[in-house]
């Protein structure tokens, strides 16, 4: 399969707020139907002046996650937050039905709340660090900077973490 490097996208403030993505596939699947796309997005709303600092803080967090295990208390807070969000998300009928349909489409089966909670509880500091090491490889990082950039430039080296 052909691969291409990630790229940097600068949007100098057009009015439509769309980000165009070019999908690459075979002639019979040029729309990429069924393709798995993994995206981890980090969002920062900031002024042009604070942009370099915001980017550095994000890179520093990525580096720390790659190089140091998540502290036990932070991991526990994260797990509890995620479990609470999952449980609250099941309170409305439409959310429950959407969740059931998604499980059937993605996994071909129903996944119980107890199973989801057990999977969350099984996450370790080591597994978070391993995942961060994979996700935050420099070649996997891309950036979309939207707004009036006033000459702001971003290079591949600026994304290294």
């Amino acid at each position: 399969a052909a691969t291409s490097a990630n790229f940097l996208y600068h949007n100098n403030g057009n009015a439509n707020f769309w980000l165009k993505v070019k999908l690459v596939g075979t002639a019979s699947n040029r729309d990429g139907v069924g393709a798995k796309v993994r995206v981890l997005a980090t969002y920062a709303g900031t002024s042009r002046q604070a942009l370099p600092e915001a980017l550095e803080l994000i890179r520093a967090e990525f580096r720390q996650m790659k190089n140091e295990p998540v502290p036990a208390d932070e991991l526990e807070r994260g797990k509890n937050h995620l479990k609470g969000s999952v449980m609250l998300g099941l309170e409305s009928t439409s959310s429950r039905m959407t969740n059931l349909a998604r499980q059937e489409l993605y996994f071909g089966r129903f996944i119980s709340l107890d199973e989801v909670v057990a999977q969350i509880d099984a996450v370790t500091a080591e597994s978070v660090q391993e995942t961060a090491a994979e996700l935050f490889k420099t070649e996997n990082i891309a950036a979309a900077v939207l707004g009036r950039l006033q000459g702001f430039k971003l290079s591949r080296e600026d994304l290294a973490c």
Side-chain angles (χ1 to χ4, degrees), residues 64-103:
Q64 185 174 4
M65 289 180 71
K66 284 172 42 174
N67 298 324
E68 301 173 24
V70 176
D73 61 329
E74 189 173 339
L75 180 61
E76 193 62 30
R77 274 194 313 273
K79 288 180 181 184
N80 289 337
H81 176 78
L82 183 55
K83 289 185 284 191
S85 295
V86 167
M87 290 178 200
L88 286 172
L90 297 176
E91 288 194 356
S92 80
T93 303
S94 63
S95 292
R96 289 179 65 89
M97 296 305 106
T98 300
N99 187 43
L100 288 171
R102 185 181 310 112
Q103 289 177 5

Side-chain angles (χ1 to χ4, degrees), residues 28-46:
S28 63
N29 189 19
R30 70 168 213 220
D31 293 326
V33 174
K36 290 185 180 180
V37 178
R38 293 183 350 175
V39 176
L40 171 77
T42 302
Y43 168 83
T46 188

